PDB file of all heavy atoms in Angstrom:
ATOM      1  N   PHE A  15      -0.958  25.629   4.038  1.00 98.00           N
ATOM      2  CA  PHE A  15      -0.523  24.864   5.201  1.00 98.00           C
ATOM      3  C   PHE A  15      -1.659  24.755   6.209  1.00 98.00           C
ATOM      4  O   PHE A  15      -1.881  23.692   6.807  1.00 98.00           O
ATOM      5  CB  PHE A  15       0.698  25.536   5.831  1.00 98.00           C
ATOM      6  CG  PHE A  15       1.369  24.723   6.899  1.00 98.00           C
ATOM      7  CD1 PHE A  15       1.805  23.431   6.658  1.00 98.00           C
ATOM      8  CD2 PHE A  15       1.575  25.257   8.162  1.00 98.00           C
ATOM      9  CE1 PHE A  15       2.424  22.675   7.644  1.00 98.00           C
ATOM     10  CE2 PHE A  15       2.199  24.518   9.159  1.00 98.00           C
ATOM     11  CZ  PHE A  15       2.624  23.233   8.900  1.00 98.00           C
ATOM     12  N   ARG A  16      -2.397  25.833   6.372  1.00 98.00           N
ATOM     13  CA  ARG A  16      -3.534  25.817   7.281  1.00 98.00           C
ATOM     14  C   ARG A  16      -4.589  24.808   6.822  1.00 98.00           C
ATOM     15  O   ARG A  16      -5.142  24.048   7.632  1.00 98.00           O
ATOM     16  CB  ARG A  16      -4.146  27.211   7.372  1.00 98.00           C
ATOM     17  CG  ARG A  16      -5.277  27.348   8.383  1.00 98.00           C
ATOM     18  CD  ARG A  16      -5.806  28.778   8.394  1.00 98.00           C
ATOM     19  NE  ARG A  16      -4.737  29.718   8.650  1.00 98.00           N
ATOM     20  CZ  ARG A  16      -4.263  30.013   9.853  1.00 98.00           C
ATOM     21  NH1 ARG A  16      -4.805  29.427  10.913  1.00 98.00           N
ATOM     22  NH2 ARG A  16      -3.284  30.876  10.002  1.00 98.00           N
ATOM     23  N   GLU A  17      -4.865  24.778   5.537  1.00 98.00           N
ATOM     24  CA  GLU A  17      -5.871  23.864   5.000  1.00 98.00           C
ATOM     25  C   GLU A  17      -5.481  22.401   5.208  1.00 98.00           C
ATOM     26  O   GLU A  17      -6.360  21.537   5.368  1.00 98.00           O
ATOM     27  CB  GLU A  17      -6.092  24.137   3.511  1.00 98.00           C
ATOM     28  CG  GLU A  17      -6.824  25.448   3.243  1.00 98.00           C
ATOM     29  CD  GLU A  17      -6.845  25.825   1.773  1.00 98.00           C
ATOM     30  OE1 GLU A  17      -5.962  25.328   1.016  1.00 98.00           O
ATOM     31  OE2 GLU A  17      -7.710  26.621   1.393  1.00 98.00           O
ATOM     32  N   LEU A  18      -4.193  22.114   5.216  1.00 98.00           N
ATOM     33  CA  LEU A  18      -3.741  20.737   5.426  1.00 98.00           C
ATOM     34  C   LEU A  18      -4.115  20.217   6.815  1.00 98.00           C
ATOM     35  O   LEU A  18      -4.134  18.999   7.040  1.00 98.00           O
ATOM     36  CB  LEU A  18      -2.222  20.643   5.245  1.00 98.00           C
ATOM     37  CG  LEU A  18      -1.683  20.893   3.829  1.00 98.00           C
ATOM     38  CD1 LEU A  18      -0.167  20.787   3.821  1.00 98.00           C
ATOM     39  CD2 LEU A  18      -2.293  19.911   2.839  1.00 98.00           C
ATOM     40  N   HIS A  19      -4.418  21.130   7.737  1.00 98.00           N
ATOM     41  CA  HIS A  19      -4.808  20.739   9.092  1.00 98.00           C
ATOM     42  C   HIS A  19      -6.314  20.538   9.239  1.00 98.00           C
ATOM     43  O   HIS A  19      -6.794  20.228  10.331  1.00 98.00           O
ATOM     44  CB  HIS A  19      -4.366  21.806  10.101  1.00 98.00           C
ATOM     45  CG  HIS A  19      -2.889  21.937  10.264  1.00 98.00           C
ATOM     46  ND1 HIS A  19      -2.084  22.559   9.330  1.00 98.00           N
ATOM     47  CD2 HIS A  19      -2.056  21.509  11.247  1.00 98.00           C
ATOM     48  CE1 HIS A  19      -0.828  22.524   9.744  1.00 98.00           C
ATOM     49  NE2 HIS A  19      -0.787  21.892  10.897  1.00 98.00           N
ATOM     50  N   HIS A  20      -7.054  20.724   8.176  1.00 96.00           N
ATOM     51  CA  HIS A  20      -8.516  20.663   8.261  1.00 96.00           C
ATOM     52  C   HIS A  20      -9.097  19.710   7.224  1.00 96.00           C
ATOM     53  O   HIS A  20     -10.194  19.927   6.726  1.00 96.00           O
ATOM     54  CB  HIS A  20      -9.108  22.063   8.091  1.00 96.00           C
ATOM     55  CG  HIS A  20      -8.771  22.987   9.216  1.00 96.00           C
ATOM     56  ND1 HIS A  20      -9.475  23.011  10.398  1.00 96.00           N
ATOM     57  CD2 HIS A  20      -7.775  23.908   9.342  1.00 96.00           C
ATOM     58  CE1 HIS A  20      -8.942  23.913  11.203  1.00 96.00           C
ATOM     59  NE2 HIS A  20      -7.916  24.468  10.599  1.00 96.00           N
ATOM     60  N   ILE A  85       6.957  24.519   4.642  1.00 98.00           N
ATOM     61  CA  ILE A  85       8.002  24.277   5.634  1.00 98.00           C
ATOM     62  C   ILE A  85       7.591  24.855   6.986  1.00 98.00           C
ATOM     63  O   ILE A  85       7.177  26.010   7.082  1.00 98.00           O
ATOM     64  CB  ILE A  85       9.341  24.920   5.201  1.00 98.00           C
ATOM     65  CG1 ILE A  85       9.829  24.330   3.872  1.00 98.00           C
ATOM     66  CG2 ILE A  85      10.396  24.735   6.294  1.00 98.00           C
ATOM     67  CD1 ILE A  85      10.149  22.854   3.912  1.00 98.00           C
ATOM     68  N   SER A  86       7.689  24.014   8.024  1.00 98.00           N
ATOM     69  CA  SER A  86       7.447  24.461   9.391  1.00 98.00           C
ATOM     70  C   SER A  86       8.730  24.244  10.192  1.00 98.00           C
ATOM     71  O   SER A  86       9.342  23.175  10.112  1.00 98.00           O
ATOM     72  CB  SER A  86       6.291  23.672  10.022  1.00 98.00           C
ATOM     73  OG  SER A  86       6.044  24.115  11.337  1.00 98.00           O
ATOM     74  N   VAL A  87       9.134  25.259  10.948  1.00 98.00           N
ATOM     75  CA  VAL A  87      10.414  25.205  11.653  1.00 98.00           C
ATOM     76  C   VAL A  87      10.208  25.071  13.157  1.00 98.00           C
ATOM     77  O   VAL A  87       9.424  25.815  13.757  1.00 98.00           O
ATOM     78  CB  VAL A  87      11.247  26.471  11.358  1.00 98.00           C
ATOM     79  CG1 VAL A  87      12.580  26.426  12.092  1.00 98.00           C
ATOM     80  CG2 VAL A  87      11.486  26.608   9.860  1.00 98.00           C
ATOM     81  N   VAL A 104      11.005  35.000  14.242  1.00 98.00           N
ATOM     82  CA  VAL A 104      10.070  34.299  13.370  1.00 98.00           C
ATOM     83  C   VAL A 104       9.892  35.063  12.061  1.00 98.00           C
ATOM     84  O   VAL A 104       9.855  34.463  10.978  1.00 98.00           O
ATOM     85  CB  VAL A 104       8.712  34.107  14.071  1.00 98.00           C
ATOM     86  CG1 VAL A 104       7.690  33.527  13.101  1.00 98.00           C
ATOM     87  CG2 VAL A 104       8.874  33.180  15.275  1.00 98.00           C
ATOM     88  N   ILE A 110       8.785  30.609   5.161  1.00 98.00           N
ATOM     89  CA  ILE A 110       8.294  29.419   5.852  1.00 98.00           C
ATOM     90  C   ILE A 110       6.805  29.572   6.162  1.00 98.00           C
ATOM     91  O   ILE A 110       6.287  30.680   6.244  1.00 98.00           O
ATOM     92  CB  ILE A 110       9.108  29.109   7.125  1.00 98.00           C
ATOM     93  CG1 ILE A 110       9.053  30.276   8.113  1.00 98.00           C
ATOM     94  CG2 ILE A 110      10.549  28.807   6.765  1.00 98.00           C
ATOM     95  CD1 ILE A 110       8.080  30.099   9.209  1.00 98.00           C
ATOM     96  N   ALA A 111       6.133  28.434   6.325  1.00 98.00           N
ATOM     97  CA  ALA A 111       4.686  28.459   6.525  1.00 98.00           C
ATOM     98  C   ALA A 111       4.292  28.434   7.994  1.00 98.00           C
ATOM     99  O   ALA A 111       3.214  28.902   8.354  1.00 98.00           O
ATOM    100  CB  ALA A 111       4.047  27.264   5.820  1.00 98.00           C
ATOM    101  N   GLY A 112       5.142  27.860   8.838  1.00 98.00           N
ATOM    102  CA  GLY A 112       4.770  27.738  10.236  1.00 98.00           C
ATOM    103  C   GLY A 112       5.967  27.569  11.148  1.00 98.00           C
ATOM    104  O   GLY A 112       7.101  27.355  10.695  1.00 98.00           O
ATOM    105  N   VAL A 113       5.689  27.698  12.433  1.00 98.00           N
ATOM    106  CA  VAL A 113       6.713  27.447  13.450  1.00 98.00           C
ATOM    107  C   VAL A 113       6.090  26.615  14.557  1.00 98.00           C
ATOM    108  O   VAL A 113       4.876  26.638  14.774  1.00 98.00           O
ATOM    109  CB  VAL A 113       7.291  28.742  14.066  1.00 98.00           C
ATOM    110  CG1 VAL A 113       8.086  29.526  13.035  1.00 98.00           C
ATOM    111  CG2 VAL A 113       6.192  29.602  14.696  1.00 98.00           C
ATOM    112  N   ASN A 114       6.946  25.884  15.230  1.00 98.00           N
ATOM    113  CA  ASN A 114       6.563  25.130  16.415  1.00 98.00           C
ATOM    114  C   ASN A 114       7.334  25.737  17.573  1.00 98.00           C
ATOM    115  O   ASN A 114       8.558  25.809  17.528  1.00 98.00           O
ATOM    116  CB  ASN A 114       6.927  23.661  16.228  1.00 98.00           C
ATOM    117  CG  ASN A 114       6.458  22.803  17.376  1.00 98.00           C
ATOM    118  OD1 ASN A 114       5.272  22.594  17.544  1.00 98.00           O
ATOM    119  ND2 ASN A 114       7.393  22.306  18.181  1.00 98.00           N
ATOM    120  N   ILE A 115       6.622  26.219  18.583  1.00 98.00           N
ATOM    121  CA  ILE A 115       7.295  26.889  19.703  1.00 98.00           C
ATOM    122  C   ILE A 115       6.817  26.285  21.021  1.00 98.00           C
ATOM    123  O   ILE A 115       5.622  26.163  21.269  1.00 98.00           O
ATOM    124  CB  ILE A 115       7.057  28.417  19.655  1.00 98.00           C
ATOM    125  CG1 ILE A 115       7.742  29.113  20.834  1.00 98.00           C
ATOM    126  CG2 ILE A 115       5.589  28.762  19.566  1.00 98.00           C
ATOM    127  CD1 ILE A 115       7.775  30.622  20.696  1.00 98.00           C
ATOM    128  N   VAL A 136       4.207  37.013  18.096  1.00 98.00           N
ATOM    129  CA  VAL A 136       4.464  36.447  16.770  1.00 98.00           C
ATOM    130  C   VAL A 136       3.269  36.687  15.851  1.00 98.00           C
ATOM    131  O   VAL A 136       3.423  37.112  14.700  1.00 98.00           O
ATOM    132  CB  VAL A 136       4.764  34.941  16.865  1.00 98.00           C
ATOM    133  CG1 VAL A 136       4.822  34.314  15.467  1.00 98.00           C
ATOM    134  CG2 VAL A 136       6.088  34.703  17.589  1.00 98.00           C
ATOM    135  N   LYS A 137       2.061  36.417  16.343  1.00 98.00           N
ATOM    136  CA  LYS A 137       0.868  36.584  15.505  1.00 98.00           C
ATOM    137  C   LYS A 137       0.620  38.056  15.176  1.00 98.00           C
ATOM    138  O   LYS A 137       0.061  38.371  14.117  1.00 98.00           O
ATOM    139  CB  LYS A 137      -0.356  35.988  16.200  1.00 98.00           C
ATOM    140  CG  LYS A 137      -0.333  34.474  16.328  1.00 98.00           C
ATOM    141  CD  LYS A 137      -0.169  33.783  14.977  1.00 98.00           C
ATOM    142  CE  LYS A 137      -1.331  33.990  14.051  1.00 98.00           C
ATOM    143  NZ  LYS A 137      -1.200  33.214  12.782  1.00 98.00           N
ATOM    144  N   CYS A 140       3.721  38.666  12.569  1.00 97.00           N
ATOM    145  CA  CYS A 140       3.759  37.761  11.412  1.00 97.00           C
ATOM    146  C   CYS A 140       2.449  36.965  11.370  1.00 97.00           C
ATOM    147  O   CYS A 140       2.453  35.738  11.577  1.00 97.00           O
ATOM    148  CB  CYS A 140       4.940  36.806  11.496  1.00 97.00           C
ATOM    149  SG  CYS A 140       6.469  37.521  12.096  1.00 97.00           S
ATOM    150  N   PRO A 141       1.322  37.618  11.112  1.00 98.00           N
ATOM    151  CA  PRO A 141       0.021  36.945  11.206  1.00 98.00           C
ATOM    152  C   PRO A 141      -0.155  35.780  10.239  1.00 98.00           C
ATOM    153  O   PRO A 141      -0.983  34.891  10.475  1.00 98.00           O
ATOM    154  CB  PRO A 141      -0.976  38.072  10.908  1.00 98.00           C
ATOM    155  CG  PRO A 141      -0.195  39.081  10.135  1.00 98.00           C
ATOM    156  CD  PRO A 141       1.191  39.020  10.694  1.00 98.00           C
ATOM    157  N   GLU A 142       0.618  35.776   9.143  1.00 98.00           N
ATOM    158  CA  GLU A 142       0.458  34.711   8.149  1.00 98.00           C
ATOM    159  C   GLU A 142       1.133  33.403   8.559  1.00 98.00           C
ATOM    160  O   GLU A 142       0.866  32.353   7.981  1.00 98.00           O
ATOM    161  CB  GLU A 142       1.024  35.172   6.807  1.00 98.00           C
ATOM    162  CG  GLU A 142       2.543  35.226   6.707  1.00 98.00           C
ATOM    163  CD  GLU A 142       3.203  36.374   7.472  1.00 98.00           C
ATOM    164  OE1 GLU A 142       2.466  37.247   7.985  1.00 98.00           O
ATOM    165  OE2 GLU A 142       4.442  36.419   7.541  1.00 98.00           O
ATOM    166  N   VAL A 143       1.989  33.430   9.565  1.00 98.00           N
ATOM    167  CA  VAL A 143       2.709  32.238  10.006  1.00 98.00           C
ATOM    168  C   VAL A 143       1.815  31.388  10.897  1.00 98.00           C
ATOM    169  O   VAL A 143       1.193  31.882  11.841  1.00 98.00           O
ATOM    170  CB  VAL A 143       3.997  32.621  10.768  1.00 98.00           C
ATOM    171  CG1 VAL A 143       4.670  31.369  11.352  1.00 98.00           C
ATOM    172  CG2 VAL A 143       4.968  33.351   9.846  1.00 98.00           C
ATOM    173  N   PHE A 144       1.733  30.090  10.593  1.00 98.00           N
ATOM    174  CA  PHE A 144       0.963  29.139  11.395  1.00 98.00           C
ATOM    175  C   PHE A 144       1.752  28.837  12.662  1.00 98.00           C
ATOM    176  O   PHE A 144       2.821  28.219  12.609  1.00 98.00           O
ATOM    177  CB  PHE A 144       0.713  27.860  10.594  1.00 98.00           C
ATOM    178  CG  PHE A 144      -0.217  26.872  11.249  1.00 98.00           C
ATOM    179  CD1 PHE A 144      -1.527  26.752  10.812  1.00 98.00           C
ATOM    180  CD2 PHE A 144       0.221  26.050  12.281  1.00 98.00           C
ATOM    181  CE1 PHE A 144      -2.396  25.833  11.397  1.00 98.00           C
ATOM    182  CE2 PHE A 144      -0.631  25.129  12.869  1.00 98.00           C
ATOM    183  CZ  PHE A 144      -1.950  25.028  12.433  1.00 98.00           C
ATOM    184  N   VAL A 145       1.240  29.289  13.797  1.00 98.00           N
ATOM    185  CA  VAL A 145       1.935  29.085  15.069  1.00 98.00           C
ATOM    186  C   VAL A 145       1.372  27.856  15.771  1.00 98.00           C
ATOM    187  O   VAL A 145       0.204  27.823  16.158  1.00 98.00           O
ATOM    188  CB  VAL A 145       1.802  30.321  15.982  1.00 98.00           C
ATOM    189  CG1 VAL A 145       2.444  30.042  17.345  1.00 98.00           C
ATOM    190  CG2 VAL A 145       2.467  31.535  15.331  1.00 98.00           C
ATOM    191  N   ASN A 146       2.215  26.851  15.913  1.00 98.00           N
ATOM    192  CA  ASN A 146       1.854  25.613  16.604  1.00 98.00           C
ATOM    193  C   ASN A 146       2.422  25.718  18.017  1.00 98.00           C
ATOM    194  O   ASN A 146       3.638  25.630  18.214  1.00 98.00           O
ATOM    195  CB  ASN A 146       2.449  24.418  15.853  1.00 98.00           C
ATOM    196  CG  ASN A 146       1.781  23.110  16.191  1.00 98.00           C
ATOM    197  OD1 ASN A 146       0.571  23.054  16.372  1.00 98.00           O
ATOM    198  ND2 ASN A 146       2.560  22.039  16.242  1.00 98.00           N
ATOM    199  N   ALA A 147       1.548  25.968  18.985  1.00 98.00           N
ATOM    200  CA  ALA A 147       1.997  26.158  20.364  1.00 98.00           C
ATOM    201  C   ALA A 147       2.140  24.812  21.054  1.00 98.00           C
ATOM    202  O   ALA A 147       1.162  24.085  21.210  1.00 98.00           O
ATOM    203  CB  ALA A 147       1.003  27.040  21.112  1.00 98.00           C
ATOM    204  N   GLY A 174      -3.781  33.537  20.087  1.00 98.00           N
ATOM    205  CA  GLY A 174      -3.741  33.471  18.624  1.00 98.00           C
ATOM    206  C   GLY A 174      -3.113  32.245  18.027  1.00 98.00           C
ATOM    207  O   GLY A 174      -2.944  32.167  16.802  1.00 98.00           O
ATOM    208  N   ALA A 175      -2.756  31.253  18.850  1.00 98.00           N
ATOM    209  CA  ALA A 175      -2.145  30.029  18.314  1.00 98.00           C
ATOM    210  C   ALA A 175      -3.074  29.372  17.299  1.00 98.00           C
ATOM    211  O   ALA A 175      -4.281  29.286  17.506  1.00 98.00           O
ATOM    212  CB  ALA A 175      -1.824  29.054  19.435  1.00 98.00           C
ATOM    213  N   ASP A 176      -2.481  28.906  16.204  1.00 98.00           N
ATOM    214  CA  ASP A 176      -3.251  28.252  15.142  1.00 98.00           C
ATOM    215  C   ASP A 176      -3.392  26.763  15.368  1.00 98.00           C
ATOM    216  O   ASP A 176      -4.249  26.108  14.762  1.00 98.00           O
ATOM    217  CB  ASP A 176      -2.567  28.489  13.796  1.00 98.00           C
ATOM    218  CG  ASP A 176      -2.414  29.972  13.491  1.00 98.00           C
ATOM    219  OD1 ASP A 176      -3.419  30.600  13.156  1.00 98.00           O
ATOM    220  OD2 ASP A 176      -1.282  30.481  13.619  1.00 98.00           O
ATOM    221  N   GLY A 177      -2.530  26.200  16.202  1.00 98.00           N
ATOM    222  CA  GLY A 177      -2.561  24.780  16.509  1.00 98.00           C
ATOM    223  C   GLY A 177      -1.945  24.561  17.873  1.00 98.00           C
ATOM    224  O   GLY A 177      -1.249  25.434  18.405  1.00 98.00           O
ATOM    225  N   VAL A 178      -2.198  23.404  18.455  1.00 99.00           N
ATOM    226  CA  VAL A 178      -1.625  23.049  19.755  1.00 99.00           C
ATOM    227  C   VAL A 178      -0.971  21.675  19.621  1.00 99.00           C
ATOM    228  O   VAL A 178      -1.566  20.739  19.094  1.00 99.00           O
ATOM    229  CB  VAL A 178      -2.703  23.017  20.856  1.00 99.00           C
ATOM    230  CG1 VAL A 178      -2.173  22.337  22.121  1.00 99.00           C
ATOM    231  CG2 VAL A 178      -3.173  24.427  21.179  1.00 99.00           C
ATOM    232  N   VAL A 198      -8.577  24.339  18.224  1.00 98.00           N
ATOM    233  CA  VAL A 198      -7.709  24.432  17.044  1.00 98.00           C
ATOM    234  C   VAL A 198      -7.127  23.045  16.792  1.00 98.00           C
ATOM    235  O   VAL A 198      -7.223  22.160  17.651  1.00 98.00           O
ATOM    236  CB  VAL A 198      -6.573  25.472  17.254  1.00 98.00           C
ATOM    237  CG1 VAL A 198      -7.151  26.877  17.403  1.00 98.00           C
ATOM    238  CG2 VAL A 198      -5.708  25.102  18.456  1.00 98.00           C
ATOM    239  N   PRO A 199      -6.534  22.802  15.624  1.00 98.00           N
ATOM    240  CA  PRO A 199      -5.990  21.470  15.328  1.00 98.00           C
ATOM    241  C   PRO A 199      -5.007  20.972  16.392  1.00 98.00           C
ATOM    242  O   PRO A 199      -4.103  21.704  16.801  1.00 98.00           O
ATOM    243  CB  PRO A 199      -5.300  21.678  13.978  1.00 98.00           C
ATOM    244  CG  PRO A 199      -6.057  22.790  13.346  1.00 98.00           C
ATOM    245  CD  PRO A 199      -6.403  23.714  14.470  1.00 98.00           C
ATOM    246  N   ASN A 201      -2.022  18.521  17.509  1.00 98.00           N
ATOM    247  CA  ASN A 201      -0.845  17.857  16.947  1.00 98.00           C
ATOM    248  C   ASN A 201      -0.245  16.946  18.018  1.00 98.00           C
ATOM    249  O   ASN A 201      -0.132  17.340  19.167  1.00 98.00           O
ATOM    250  CB  ASN A 201       0.151  18.938  16.519  1.00 98.00           C
ATOM    251  CG  ASN A 201       1.461  18.418  15.953  1.00 98.00           C
ATOM    252  OD1 ASN A 201       2.439  19.151  15.914  1.00 98.00           O
ATOM    253  ND2 ASN A 201       1.522  17.184  15.497  1.00 98.00           N
ATOM    254  N   ARG A 220      -2.915  16.544  13.244  1.00 98.00           N
ATOM    255  CA  ARG A 220      -1.537  16.562  12.721  1.00 98.00           C
ATOM    256  C   ARG A 220      -0.693  15.572  13.507  1.00 98.00           C
ATOM    257  O   ARG A 220      -0.751  15.528  14.732  1.00 98.00           O
ATOM    258  CB  ARG A 220      -0.970  17.983  12.834  1.00 98.00           C
ATOM    259  CG  ARG A 220       0.515  18.136  12.528  1.00 98.00           C
ATOM    260  CD  ARG A 220       0.816  19.616  12.341  1.00 98.00           C
ATOM    261  NE  ARG A 220       2.160  20.016  12.692  1.00 98.00           N
ATOM    262  CZ  ARG A 220       2.592  21.274  12.694  1.00 98.00           C
ATOM    263  NH1 ARG A 220       1.758  22.249  12.352  1.00 98.00           N
ATOM    264  NH2 ARG A 220       3.824  21.580  13.031  1.00 98.00           N
TER     265      ARG A 220
END
Side-chain angles (χ1 to χ4, degrees):
F15 189 55
R16 185 180 304 278
E17 289 171 338
L18 293 179
H19 293 76
H20 293 277
I85 299 297
S86 181
V87 180
V104 173
I110 59 99
V113 293
N114 185 70
I115 179 169
V136 171
K137 292 304 295 185
C140 320
E142 74 287 352
V143 174
F144 187 103
V145 176
N146 199 38
D176 302 286
V178 167
V198 295
N201 178 199
R220 171 166 151 185

